[in-house]
Amino acid sequence: MSDMALSPQARSRFFVGRHPSVLIFLACLALFTLAVTLMSEAMGAGMVSTSFVKTLGKTLCLCLVALAMDLVWGYCGILSLGHMAFFGLGGYAIGMWLMYARTELIVIESLAAAPLPPTPEEVRDGIATQIFGVVGASEFPPVWVVAHSLPLQLAAVVLVPGLIALVFGWLAFRSRVTGVYLSILTQAMTLALSLYLFQNDSGLRGNNGLSGLQNLPGLDDVSQDWVSLWFFWGSALALGLGYLLCIWIVSGKFGSVIRAIRDDEARVRFLGYPVEAYKLFIFTVTAVIAGIAGALYYPQAGIINPAEIAPIASIYLAVWVAIGGRGRLYGAVIGAAFVSLLSTWCTGGQAPDIDLGFYTIQWVDWWTVLLGLSFVAVTLFAPKGIGGLVDLVLERRSPDRHGADLGPDPGALREKEADA
């Protein structure tokens, strides 16, 4: 019986049955979210500080963008060194509204004591002066035309990264740029965007970036422990939905086609599949996922500047996925969480220094060296990454076909040949 002949409930059970990792992942995520919630300061326990709740929420966002990276690289074979640019664009999109709305409240309050009520133009001029005075400007750039509208800025979180990825991908894929050349192009795109945003006339405050994003407009009476918990819940929900979306994309015929593109693009094109269309879809969808992750990350970080979009950030993202296990969605999540939390521990001064007598290793300075060595070691000795350890625990093996035919012709590609 085909999938189409089944009821929606039956198809859902069939999907979960083929992908048991979905239930395991969602159950672990739910238990983790519940545990952090109960131990947070907002709930009165105080076992997990508010700052660490924010760290965990940001880590979940990084896990979400790692999922996007694994989908485009691990499954489709496109090593993009520009997805953290989409991550940053999502943060800028939501940060513009947060800064505008927050500054609007401050300006209205300061003008309340004036003899005459302020006009909308006076309020808008006051907001512009407050935001852009740091770069010597007092007017809103065109890019801020809809910054006052939360729905439109939320739409920009999705549309801006998606449209840029769509245009870039269409130009690159139709020219059949592949391999390292495509990686260089994505890195060049990221570098160009970063350098542009560093300029004061970019309209996004140049090197100063956007700040004060942790303060939600109109919620001054709500303490930061609750705000951090809300964002933590939103990050966990986004990660769970993102995992479901990625599993759905890589399953079935579509998933088989993108894996085939990764393994032998020329043969897939010869078979008549529109390779460029598949690659463009994956590239655009993962850019949107990265934008959403960034929109959740930066209100928890409180600030965003062009340095966050620098090419090195996208290189770090590829390292996370490689360490976690490329081509395994749960591996990407594990890698991002592990490296992110370890980085926080090492660079936050919590890791103890190692005194060698002739030299003292300070992890604040040596963390990036350790990360680079880990990437080399994983590439050489454990290409499956941390996710490979999960495979060993679960004892994943090839299906036992008992020598059955694996092809359309008798004797085609039997089990021993497939394992060779």
Side-chain angles (χ1 to χ4, degrees), residues 333-354:
V333 173
I334 293 173
F338 174 76
V339 178
S340 174
L341 292 175
L342 186 60
S343 172
T344 300
W345 186 63
C346 290
T347 59
Q350 300 174 355
D353 298 336
I354 300 178

Side-chain angles (χ1 to χ4, degrees), residues 10 37 39 68 95 181 208 298:
T37 299
M39 292 188 295
Y181 302 104
N208 299 280
Y298 287 105

Side-chain angles (χ1 to χ4, degrees), residues 53-63 235 297 300-301 340:
V53 170
K54 290 184 178 182
T55 298
L56 293 176
K58 291 186 292 183
T59 300
L60 293 178
C61 295
L62 296 177
C63 290
S235 303
Y297 179 92
Q300 298 177 81
S340 174

Side-chain angles (χ1 to χ4, degrees), residues 118-174:
T119 64
E121 289 76 12
E122 290 175 333
V123 172
R124 185 172 177 82
D125 290 343
I127 297 172
T129 301
Q130 286 283 338
I131 294 177
F132 297 103
V134 69
V135 293
S138 59
E139 296 181 355
F140 278 108
V143 72
W144 285 72
V145 66
V146 296
H148 63 282
S149 173
L150 177 59
L152 292 178
Q153 287 300 132
L154 289 176
V157 168
V158 175
L159 293 178
V160 173
L163 288 175
I164 292 178
L166 183 66
V167 173
F168 177 87
W170 183 77
L171 292 173
F173 299 143
R174 72 186 293 267

